[in-house]
């Protein structure tokens, strides 16, 4: 499981995260939400390896993650995506996934590009089919619409065969139907046994998707539970979700 214990992160004396603790069990899909400045992005970045910790402990399957680079975390089965999709725009959709699959086998940098078209083709095509991109395999990533780029970034992350998938606002920038489709894909990954932790602003990407929701407010864990439970929490309603929280699942309310 993922264990976060008394996580603390300071920036020049500002306590961005102040003693946050939680666990994510294998096969769970957990959303990390909160208002702007609540510390959720910082918490996520600490887990992903972008920021060193000021204090606390992070472990995945008993392995301490603090001090490990993002690449070292990948070797322990921890992969991530970014809020703004990051793909290799000079490559085709298929080549993006082939390169990621090769990199997982230890073939890096220039050597990874040699003979790329013939490497890991079938596994890459299978991932494109899983993420709904098979018909776009030969298209340059640069020309993809944004929703397809988000799916491609997910396929690239999956090429590393992660056991823990960290998604930084996977639905950001997507229209309602695209958002719903992508989040059902994410939910399905957890249903297949992958552990998923994601940050999100859109409540319709949380309701009906996340098994559990963690709410950060002012750097502290203010509430956790199912979406229905946290939407009834008086502190969460007053400080973040508002009176419309209970309608989010049914009406697709989005809170930026």
């Amino acid at each position: 499981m993922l264990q976060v214990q008394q996580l603390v992160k300071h920036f020049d004396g500002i306590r961005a995260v102040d003693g946050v603790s939680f666990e994510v069990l294998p096969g769970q899909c957990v959303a990390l939400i909160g208002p702007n400045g609540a510390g959720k992005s910082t918490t996520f970045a600490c887990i992903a390896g972008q920021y060193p910790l000021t204090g606390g402990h992070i472990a995945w399957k008993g392995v301490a993650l603090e001090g490990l680079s993002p690449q070292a975390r990948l070797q322990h089965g921890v992969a991530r995506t970014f809020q703004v999709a990051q793909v290799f725009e000079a490559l085709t959709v298929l080549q993006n996934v082939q390169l990621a699959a090769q990199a997982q086998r230890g073939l890096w940098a220039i050597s990874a590009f040699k003979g790329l078209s013939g490497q890991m083709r079938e596994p890459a095509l299978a991932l494109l089919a899983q993420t709904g991109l098979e018909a776009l395999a030969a298209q340059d990533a640069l020309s993809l619409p944004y929703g397809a780029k988000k799916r491609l970034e997910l396929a690239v992350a999956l090429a590393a065969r992660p056991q823990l998938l960290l998604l930084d606002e996977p639905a950001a920038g997507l229209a309602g139907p695209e958002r719903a489709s992508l989040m059902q894909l994410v939910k399905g990954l957890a249903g297949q046994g992958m552990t998923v932790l994601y940050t999100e602003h859109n409540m319709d990407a949380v309701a009906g998707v996340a098994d559990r929701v963690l709410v950060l407010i002012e750097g502290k864990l203010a509430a956790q539970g199912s979406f229905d439970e946290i939407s009834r929490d008086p502190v969460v309603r007053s400080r973040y979700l508002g009176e419309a929280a209970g309608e989010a699942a049914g009406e697709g309310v989005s809170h930026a």
Side-chain angles (χ1 to χ4, degrees):
M1 70 174 71
L2 174 67
Q3 296 173 299
V4 177
Q5 300 174 338
Q6 292 299 309
L7 176 62
V8 177
K9 179 60 181 176
H10 296 174
F11 294 100
D12 297 325
I14 298 173
R15 300 175 73 90
V17 182
D18 191 9
V20 168
S21 298
F22 61 86
E23 296 179 347
V24 182
L25 300 178
Q28 276 193 332
C29 184
V30 175
L32 182 62
I33 69 172
N36 290 332
K40 63 182 182 300
S41 294
T42 301
T43 297
F44 185 91
C46 288
I47 296 171
Q50 182 180 351
Y51 294 149
L53 309 187
T54 303
H57 181 63
I58 300 172
W60 165 244
K61 298 179 69 174
V63 176
L65 296 184
E66 62 266 19
L68 296 183
S69 67
Q71 180 54 36
R73 294 175 199 224
L74 188 62
Q75 298 306 311
H76 287 285
V78 182
R80 68 161 298 177
T81 66
F82 295 83
Q83 182 177 345
V84 178
Q86 297 189 13
V87 298
F88 295 101
E89 294 188 336
L91 301 179
T92 67
V93 169
L94 178 59
Q95 287 172 337
N96 265 270
V97 183
Q98 287 177 290
L99 183 61
Q102 284 194 69
Q104 176 63 12
R105 299 174 65 191
L107 304 175
W108 289 98
I110 297 175
S111 63
F113 288 90
K114 295 179 179 179
L116 183 61
S117 62
Q119 297 294 325
M120 304 296 290
R121 182 178 178 84
E122 293 307 315
L125 285 172
L127 283 172
L128 294 184
Q130 182 181 3
T131 53
L133 293 171
E134 192 170 24
L136 301 175
Q139 187 168 327
D140 290 340
L142 177 63
S143 64
L144 290 178
Y146 189 67
K149 281 186 179 180
K150 295 286 279 190
R151 286 178 176 269
L152 177 56
E153 186 188 37
L154 178 58
V156 167
L158 293 176
R161 295 181 291 179
Q163 297 170 307
L164 172 60
L165 184 60
L166 306 173
L167 305 175
D168 192 359
E169 297 196 25
L174 301 184
E178 282 186 314
R179 190 160 62 233
S181 176
L182 181 62
M183 294 314 298
Q184 285 307 305
L185 174 59
V186 170
K187 183 178 181 180
L189 292 172
Q192 296 167 16
M194 189 175 296
T195 305
V196 179
L197 175 68
Y198 69 102
T199 64
E200 193 51 67
H201 274 297
N202 297 288
M203 291 301 99
D204 59 350
V206 177
V209 178
D211 300 312
R212 201 164 98 256
V213 182
L214 310 170
V215 185
L216 291 186
I217 297 177
E218 294 183 352
K220 297 179 181 293
L221 186 62
Q224 62 176 306
S226 69
F227 181 80
D228 287 342
E229 288 170 339
I230 65 101
S231 67
R232 292 193 297 266
D233 185 283
V235 174
V236 176
R237 290 178 72 91
S238 65
R239 298 290 300 277
Y240 179 44
L241 295 181
E243 293 301 316
E247 302 171 6
E251 298 182 10
V253 174
S254 172
H255 295 263

